[in-house]
Amino acid sequence: MKTMTCRQLGGPCELRHRSNTADEVIKAQDRHLKDVVAGGDDSHRDALKEMKGRWRHPISGMGWYRAVKRDFAMMTDD
Ligand SMILES: [Zn+2]
């Protein structure tokens, strides 16, 4: 298992996502952003907007996706 924080994924807080794959970490971050913004958190709004933009523009969003995958691959296991 590896850990990436909300901040490492473009968000504003230090919440930790633990997973075996970068895909799952990205999905967890996506869920986290939606959850906290739905709960009235303003600090995550921009990060959520960027995340949504990436799904809408998969080509330009791919750069971010690849960077996260690379960072994840370079991290050491917990
Ligand atoms: Zn967060």
Side-chain angles (χ1 to χ4, degrees):
M1 296 280 270
K2 298 183 182 185
T3 303
M4 279 187 97
T5 64
C6 175
R7 190 179 299 279
Q8 285 175 300
L9 294 155
C13 83
E14 302 296 336
L15 184 92
R16 297 151 74 85
H17 302 296
R18 293 188 76 225
S19 180
N20 287 312
T21 70
D23 282 336
E24 280 177 24
V25 162
I26 290 167
K27 271 187 215 143
Q29 173 71 354
D30 190 40
R31 260 197 316 271
H32 163 61
L33 292 174
K34 283 181 188 151
D35 283 354
V36 293
V37 170
D41 183 304
D42 278 336
S43 66
H44 285 72
R45 256 179 225 287
D46 287 348
L48 178 60
K49 211 190 292 169
E50 281 171 26
M51 185 70 90
K52 281 185 177 163
R54 282 181 203 115
W55 302 143
R56 233 179 277 130
H57 306 286
I59 306 290
S60 53
M62 196 53 80
W64 177 85
Y65 184 77
R66 282 217 192 89
V68 170
K69 282 198 129 170
R70 193 191 52 221
D71 288 352
F72 190 86
M74 289 190 325
M75 292 176 75
T76 50
D77 285 330
D78 289 346

